[in-house]
Amino acid sequence: MKIISYNVNGIRAAIAKGLLDWLKSASPDVLCLQEIKATESQIATERAALEALGYPYQYYYSAEKKGYSGVAILCKHKPKHVEVGTGIDYMDKEGRVLRADFENLSVMSLYLPSGTNPERLGFKFTFMDDFKRYIDHLKKSIPNLVICGDYNICHQAIDIHDPVRNATVSGFLPEERAWLDAFIKSGFIDTFRYFNPEPHNYSWWSYRANARANNKGWRIDYLLASEPLKPRLTRGVILPEAKHSDHCPVLLELT
């Protein structure tokens, strides 16, 4: 199975930038999207185009606030079950968690909040703590789990272009990094790092100061696979050539 996760920063904007042509070539079995910034009623034309590419099974979870957040999962094959949200009200109002269960694997699309100001940073920490408890419980019934998405956190210094100057910036705060470290160590594999120890591999770049052209980025998009899936992992890469967003896709292949 080939899984791709992609924060598209607006699904309609990404499609206008050529997302469909790229998707036809990439052809994942499961595509997890974050920050779709649209409701299902706003993307009827786009849904039809995606179905024509071989994705008849499309699941969207939008935020209550229009033009904000939202996640999706597109599948070539029908899941046996789709779980919308977490059941935690404040999380679910922002459309940040969606899961598709297949026979021997579950795939989750996650859009973890950013901490753009003190209020949202507090919200982010609350979300992180509640999300970990949710996943700790979920793993008991779903041991084969891949959590795809934008975590809005760089794990280690190797994952950010300037770790010194960004040490006090949300996304690279010690507390955020410690949370992600503990989350991974609770039973997950950072699948990109499992295959790739090299520096200078990023998945998000600011639109400012020509950051992408100069590769001054952050690696904040992950495909975290639960430990029982380790023998099935075959490939994990970042796809920076895809330029439909300020993020790029990340890919995992497994048997």
Side-chain angles (χ1 to χ4, degrees), residues 10-148:
I11 188 170
R12 291 169 292 181
I15 287 176
K17 295 175 183 177
L19 178 69
L20 296 180
D21 289 337
W22 170 83
L23 182 58
K24 183 178 181 180
S25 176
S27 192
D29 298 289
V30 179
L31 176 65
C32 293
L33 301 177
Q34 301 85 40
E35 209 170 356
I36 59 172
K37 295 183 176 180
T39 63
E40 287 191 64
S41 62
Q42 292 176 314
I43 54 172
T45 301
E46 291 81 359
R47 283 176 59 97
L50 289 162
E51 184 171 351
L53 283 180
Y55 296 92
Y57 306 104
Q58 302 178 32
Y59 308 94
Y60 298 86
Y61 189 32
S62 303
E64 289 184 359
K65 179 181 176 181
K66 288 190 175 181
Y68 178 74
S69 188
V71 291
I73 299 179
L74 282 60
C75 312
K76 289 185 176 180
H77 306 286
K78 187 176 181 179
K80 65 178 185 179
H81 173 73
V82 174
E83 187 71 21
V84 178
T86 62
I88 301 172
D89 183 64
Y90 79 90
M91 282 188 186
D92 293 346
K93 287 181 178 180
E94 295 199 352
R96 293 184 177 273
V97 180
L98 181 66
R99 191 184 84 239
D101 299 334
F102 300 91
E103 281 302 321
N104 57 0
L105 178 72
S106 292
V107 180
M108 179 179 289
S109 186
L110 165 70
Y111 180 36
L112 202 146
S114 60
T116 50
N117 58 51
E119 181 182 355
R120 289 301 293 179
L121 184 58
F123 179 89
K124 181 178 184 178
F125 280 120
T126 300
F127 186 107
M128 286 155 51
D129 290 341
D130 287 343
F131 182 72
K132 185 175 185 303
R133 281 190 287 269
Y134 172 77
I135 294 298
D136 286 344
H137 178 73
L138 184 66
K139 284 190 299 181
K140 295 175 183 178
S141 57
I142 300 180
N144 294 334
L145 177 64
V146 179
I147 305 177
C148 313

Side-chain angles (χ1 to χ4, degrees), residues 188-218:
F188 286 94
I189 300 162
D190 178 348
T191 58
F192 176 76
R193 282 286 172 236
Y194 182 74
F195 292 101
N196 302 276
E198 300 85 4
H200 313 305
N201 287 288
Y202 309 122
S203 65
W204 175 82
W205 302 261
S206 171
Y207 282 130
R208 300 175 182 174
N210 215 21
R212 189 161 189 168
N214 294 316
N215 200 29
K216 293 184 176 180
W218 301 40

Side-chain angles (χ1 to χ4, degrees), residues 225-238:
S226 58
E227 284 284 352
L229 292 171
K230 187 174 182 177
R232 297 170 56 184
L233 305 180
T234 60
R235 183 174 177 240
V237 295
I238 294 174

